[in-house]
Amino acid sequence: MSEAKDNLVLFPKTLDYYQIQLTRMLETERYADAKSLLNFLLQCGGEAERHHTEWEALLGWLEAAFPEAEGGDFTGEALMEDEEDAEDALRQRLADRSGQDADYIPRLLTNLSETDDPEQQLLILGQLNYLEHPELEGAVRKWLLDAERHAVVQFRALQMLRRQGASGPIYMLREGELLSVEAEATPLQFDDFPPAVLNVLDRVRQAAEVSDPTLSYFAEEMWKECVQVAYGTPVFRLMMEDEDSSSDTWAAALHQFLTEKLHGIQSDEWVREQYGITGDLRFRYEQALRWLRMYAGELNADS
């Protein structure tokens, strides 16, 4: 962290860390801590300024929805709270609420259906993770099928259904098409994805170790998001092909895509040579790179 005029400037890794902690605070209903962190982040310049509008809107929503949760000065102590304790406390609070109010879970499901805000949908799904109700599985299955949802929200809903013990096919809409995924196959964490998907990051780390070490960090964050967005689509089936050439193709595309994002458009000759992208692999590599560029376009549109 460094000083710039009157603003704090966060290094990329620090900014990403705070973003992750903010999400966890919201998921575990630590709204006062979230307000404190948001007030701190809004004082930060540099890369953080790109997120100011989003953070201001989120802070405004928290102030309106939870005025009793008073956020103090950010000291960093909130980030030291044991996450397992916070999760256990959330589970107990939700159990108490649903036990005292029979309409609590139906009300959450109604809110899920009525809001179009992906952030609020994620918060509701995060609470439903810890609750049990006879209508829960059927309601979320119907919600996924009624309209197209943000790809990451869809994936979180699939994870929630698996934790609820759902089985068999789950249907959802993506770009006007009906997709079907098996509930039992949904990964609950990144390490649960097929080896071909995991190998992509290993290949990028090896290639970037000497040429651009910082690229490995960004590759990990981007690839984890990409596989969630692709899950259940024909693109994901290409990602999980159990061949070295498939991992090489996607690793090369990811490397080139991040190089363009970090350093601007430049020749991909070095990348193709490094990953052995020749002959028939060239077409598959270009397809993968085109998909990543489209995905980045969607991210930019949402931010």
Side-chain angles (χ1 to χ4, degrees), residues 31-47:
Y31 299 126
D33 291 340
K35 287 182 184 180
S36 299
L37 179 53
L38 284 167
N39 280 315
F40 166 76
L41 291 171
L42 285 169
Q43 300 174 41
C44 299
E47 285 291 310

Side-chain angles (χ1 to χ4, degrees), residues 69-84:
E70 298 183 5
D73 293 334
F74 175 77
T75 63
E77 293 178 1
L79 301 185
M80 301 303 292
E81 182 177 334
D82 186 275
E83 291 181 12
E84 290 186 4

Side-chain angles (χ1 to χ4, degrees), residues 16 62 67 75 77 100 105 111 125 259:
D16 289 341
L62 287 173
T75 63
E77 293 178 1
Q100 297 167 5
I105 296 176
N111 293 339
L125 289 170
T259 298

